[in-house]
Amino acid sequence: MTDPARSLSEQLGGALPPGIEALDDEQRRMLAEALRDARRRQSAALARASDEALRYVPAFLRGTVRKVVGL
Amino acid sequence: MNNLESRAEVRKLARVLDVPPERIAFLERVDAADLRELRGRATDVLFDANLGVLQRMALATRIVPTPVLAKIAQKVFGPLLCARIAGLVDVSRGVDVASRLPPRFLADVAVQLDPRRASEIIARIPGDTVVAVARELIVREDWITIGRFVGHLPEASVSASLEALGDVALLQSAYVLDDKSRAGNVVELLPAGRYGSALRAADAEGLWPKVFDLLTHLDEPLRLRFAVAAADLRPDARERAAATARELGLDPDLLLARVYVPGLPGTVDG
């Protein structure tokens, strides 16, 4: 099983602040999950917004724009 | 540390993580400075995700004239995408586009924006636009977003917004100010009559904890302004304030100390 503190610190890219490090495993796991869920939701929302934006690009250019922008 | 500050931080972190504050209420016993660091780093994680694509999208917007870009921003990009791109576009173009957008949409963008990443644009948004967006956020009672922006706005815009901000909104926003070290700068801009009206509003709306949280972030001369105004409160209101301070483990004299300011009527030489 993944160490909950490491999972959160891995997402945050470094050691946790002392008060967060001192939380129990379940609480740190909950924070790690909340951050992961927020990232997923944000990525999905951005992908939806980008797709919507692409609908306004002429069809014959969409492939090129996708490639250039990296969508 | 005071627990009120940690509670305010929990509400702000809940907004970043998009979870109900009750779900992370266990963090209220954590030092506010640690929570602030966690929130800042979580915000960075979210804003740095998808950065490559967003940078290329920001680059692509360069070829679009700003009036067209403003239309695309509102009708196609939507607030989330605009908020993520805002910090990546040229400042003058960003300001130009923002000035063409309606306050309601700008308020939607503000909710999603990390002000640290677009501070140059925010600082150059015209004051009347700032006030219009502030009014929109007040209607929504979105104190957290208001509190996040205060530290990034020029004094004139903050002053103008304070006029729009009623006493309850003022106390609620001050409680969740992103940078509490700026509380004094905001309080300093209040006209004389606001100290008393804010205290009366606090008593009427049960906001004494917010007042005491604010007082703990003010230096002595600014606390004195509230103490002078508190001398005019009704005895029952003063008693409610004192009871709240004691419940919070704070000294009621933060607000209710007898003060004497030479030449200022209503103060007591004691």
Side-chain angles (χ1 to χ4, degrees):
Chain A
M1 184 188 263
T2 320
D3 172 39
R6 215 180 70 204
S7 174
L8 183 59
S9 62
E10 272 172 7
Q11 289 190 72
L12 293 174
L16 298 174
I20 305 300
E21 184 70 50
L23 295 172
D24 66 39
D25 283 2
E26 190 48 45
Q27 291 169 333
R28 274 177 286 143
R29 184 176 295 117
M30 189 260 137
L31 286 174
E33 280 171 12
L35 181 55
R36 204 172 296 122
D37 289 348
R39 289 169 75 176
R40 278 198 205 110
R41 277 195 301 275
Q42 179 187 267
S43 290
L46 284 173
R48 275 196 303 277
S50 307
D51 282 347
E52 182 66 14
L54 268 181
R55 285 179 48 214
Y56 290 79
V57 173
F60 71 97
L61 282 175
R62 276 181 214 158
T64 311
V65 172
R66 269 189 192 282
K67 207 168 158 188
V68 170
V69 177
L71 293 170
Chain B
M1 124 173 142
N2 79 67
N3 187 250
L4 280 169
E5 204 175 340
S6 293
R7 269 189 249 166
E9 275 302 323
V10 166
R11 285 176 53 186
K12 289 183 268 185
L13 179 63
R15 169 70 71 91
V16 171
L17 297 176
D18 193 19
V19 295
E22 309 79 56
R23 202 172 148 204
I24 55 171
F26 59 85
L27 292 171
E28 287 179 4
R29 62 187 168 83
V30 174
D31 191 284
D34 288 348
L35 293 175
R36 200 161 27 250
E37 182 188 334
L38 176 66
R39 177 167 60 90
R41 287 169 63 185
T43 304
D44 287 341
V45 166
L46 290 168
F47 274 73
D48 287 341
N50 318 98
L51 194 57
V53 172
L54 294 170
Q55 279 170 333
R56 288 188 289 276
M57 286 181 89
L59 264 179
T61 62
R62 278 191 188 176
I63 57 168
V64 184
T66 46
V68 179
L69 187 54
K71 284 202 175 92
I72 294 174
Q74 192 184 351
K75 302 208 182 306
V76 184
F77 284 180
L80 177 67
L81 200 47
C82 285
R84 294 300 188 267
I85 292 179
L88 305 171
V89 298
D90 173 69
V91 173
S92 57
R93 266 174 81 75
V95 174
D96 192 8
V97 170
S99 67
R100 295 167 190 274
L101 293 168
R104 181 178 279 195
F105 183 76
L106 287 175
D108 291 338
V109 175
V111 172
Q112 305 282 352
L113 193 66
D114 177 2
R116 296 173 303 171
R117 294 179 182 235
S119 57
E120 284 183 75
I121 293 180
I122 294 165
R124 285 172 51 184
I125 302 273
D128 52 350
T129 304
V130 172
V131 174
V133 175
R135 283 187 198 284
E136 184 64 38
L137 292 168
I138 291 164
V139 170
R140 301 178 191 187
E141 300 189 356
D142 189 347
W143 320 125
I144 290 181
T145 300
I146 294 173
R148 282 165 55 227
F149 276 79
V150 170
H152 300 269
L153 291 167
E155 211 170 85
S157 297
V158 176
S159 260
S161 300
L162 283 173
E163 285 175 30
L165 216 59
D167 292 315
V168 169
L170 170 71
L171 293 172
Q172 295 280 19
S173 306
Y175 178 57
V176 289
L177 261 191
D178 213 20
D179 178 4
K180 290 280 182 101
S181 68
R182 292 267 308 185
N185 302 66
V186 176
V187 166
E188 207 148 31
L189 296 172
L190 289 172
R194 287 297 293 275
Y195 299 95
S197 66
L199 295 181
R200 287 190 294 277
D203 189 53
E205 302 294 329
L207 295 175
W208 284 120
K210 266 81 177 179
V211 171
F212 280 98
D213 176 70
L214 176 60
L215 292 170
T216 62
H217 291 94
L218 300 180
D219 57 18
E220 192 63 32
L222 288 174
R223 271 206 302 271
L224 198 63
R225 295 188 195 181
F226 280 105
V228 168
D232 288 336
L233 289 173
R234 292 200 327 250
D236 56 328
R238 287 173 63 86
E239 185 40 51
R240 281 188 288 273
T244 303
R246 286 191 290 268
E247 274 168 33
L248 295 168
L250 295 170
D251 182 357
D253 277 357
L254 270 174
L255 177 68
L256 303 172
R258 287 155 61 90
V259 291
Y260 172 63
V261 181
L264 188 65
T267 64
V268 181
D269 188 354

